[in-house]
């Protein structure tokens, strides 16, 4: 059995150069590309998530870890057929209309990707009709919306309403500083996550239900 502990640690410490070197060494040694991704790279991010949630790691460190992991995945990806890459589900991500904040959203996207989800990030300032059009095009399992301003929270409700009107099948989840579980319940969202690590837990929970 291959020991991925040192690769896990390189991901956790966000050492991109070391991750690249170790991944190449595993590839040269004939280790299965899927094993490198699942146990080495995702394995490292599985340590990061709980540490971040517990307050032992901070946003810049998580971003570095996610970047280091992505650098490793990029080396291995060409050796894996697309349909072999495990995917837990597809998440459509975006910051709602009128809101230009994206650090939290980007962090959620990176954490979801590193946990094995396929993420389609629409970006910032996304109106309800554009979310609905993207749902019809990409057929995601979950729509994850972010807002950082109290004034733009209403646009989450507008989006949830329009999704229901359009009759598309998707679970809507919300997050961002002013958002709460109470607000999520009020607008009929399927869930709320206070931070990026919780967003991953929530998506896992919703898709295993």
């Amino acid at each position: 059995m291959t020991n991925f502990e040192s690769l896990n640690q390189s991901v956790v410490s966000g050492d991109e150069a070391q991750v690249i070197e170790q991944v190449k060494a595993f590839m040269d040694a004939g280790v299965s590309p899927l094993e490198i991704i699942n146990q080495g790279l995702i394995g490292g991010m599985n340590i990061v998530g709980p540490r971040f949630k517990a307050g032992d790691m901070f946003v810049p460190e998580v971003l570095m870890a996610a970047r280091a992991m992505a650098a490793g995945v990029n080396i291995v990806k060409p050796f894996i057929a697309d349909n072999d890459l495990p995917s837990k589900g597809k998440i459509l991500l975006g910051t709602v209309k009128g809101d230009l904040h994206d650090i939290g959203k980007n962090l959620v996207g990176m954490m979801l990707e590193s946990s094995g989800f396929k993420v389609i990030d629409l970006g910032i300032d996304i109106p309800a009709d554009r979310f609905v059009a993207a749902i019809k095009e990409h057929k995601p399992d979950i729509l994850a919306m972010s807002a950082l301003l109290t004034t733009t929270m209403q646009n989450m409700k507008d989006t949830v309403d329009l999704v229901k009107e359009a009759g598309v099948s998707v679970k809507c989840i919300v997050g961002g500083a002013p958002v709460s579980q109470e607000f999520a319940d009020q607008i009929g969202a399927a869930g709320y996550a206070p931070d990026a690590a919780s967003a991953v837990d929530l998506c896992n929970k919703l898709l295993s239900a």
Side-chain angles (χ1 to χ4, degrees):
M1 165 117 177
T2 311
N3 185 353
F4 289 105
E5 209 170 303
S6 61
L7 179 54
N8 294 162
Q9 285 312 316
S10 301
V11 170
V12 172
S13 56
D15 190 333
E16 205 170 311
Q18 210 170 317
V19 167
I20 290 169
E21 196 180 302
Q22 287 169 321
V23 167
K24 284 180 174 167
F26 279 128
M27 293 293 287
D28 291 344
V31 178
S32 136
L34 276 177
E35 221 175 298
I36 296 171
I37 287 186
N38 288 332
Q39 285 161 44
L41 298 166
I42 292 178
M45 284 306 286
N46 285 344
I47 299 168
V48 171
R51 282 194 189 171
F52 175 55
K53 214 170 171 181
D56 297 332
M57 281 180 85
F58 301 99
V59 171
E61 295 165 304
V62 176
L63 289 173
M64 280 172 68
R67 274 193 205 112
M69 177 201 149
V73 170
N74 287 340
I75 296 168
V76 180
K77 232 179 184 167
F79 300 94
I80 301 174
D82 271 354
N83 51 1
D84 284 348
L85 258 179
S87 172
K88 291 181 178 175
K90 199 188 285 186
I91 318 284
L92 188 66
L93 190 62
T95 303
V96 294
K97 184 173 166 34
D99 210 315
L100 307 178
H101 293 89
D102 69 353
I103 292 175
K105 171 187 68 63
N106 294 348
L107 187 59
V108 168
M110 283 177 163
M111 296 279 281
L112 283 167
E113 270 184 341
S114 57
S115 299
F117 290 97
K118 182 172 171 43
V119 176
I120 297 139
D121 188 346
L122 295 181
I124 53 174
D125 195 18
I126 307 297
D129 56 351
R130 209 169 132 217
F131 275 124
V132 171
I135 291 166
K136 288 176 177 171
E137 182 190 342
H138 298 289
K139 301 186 172 40
D141 302 291
I142 290 175
L143 166 62
M145 289 178 280
S146 146
L148 209 78
L149 306 169
T150 46
T151 48
T152 58
M153 283 166 66
Q154 176 60 31
N155 296 329
M156 289 181 158
K157 181 181 186 321
D158 294 347
T159 305
V160 171
D161 289 348
L162 197 61
V163 164
K164 284 178 182 158
E165 252 173 64
V168 284
S169 166
V170 70
K171 293 179 167 80
C172 297
I173 64 170
V174 292
V179 182
S180 63
Q181 183 64 57
E182 193 184 359
F183 176 74
D185 294 341
Q186 273 170 14
I187 66 170
Y192 153 76
D195 57 55
S198 307
V200 174
D201 293 343
L202 177 60
C203 290
N204 278 325
K205 195 172 122 194
L206 286 174
L207 294 184
S208 63

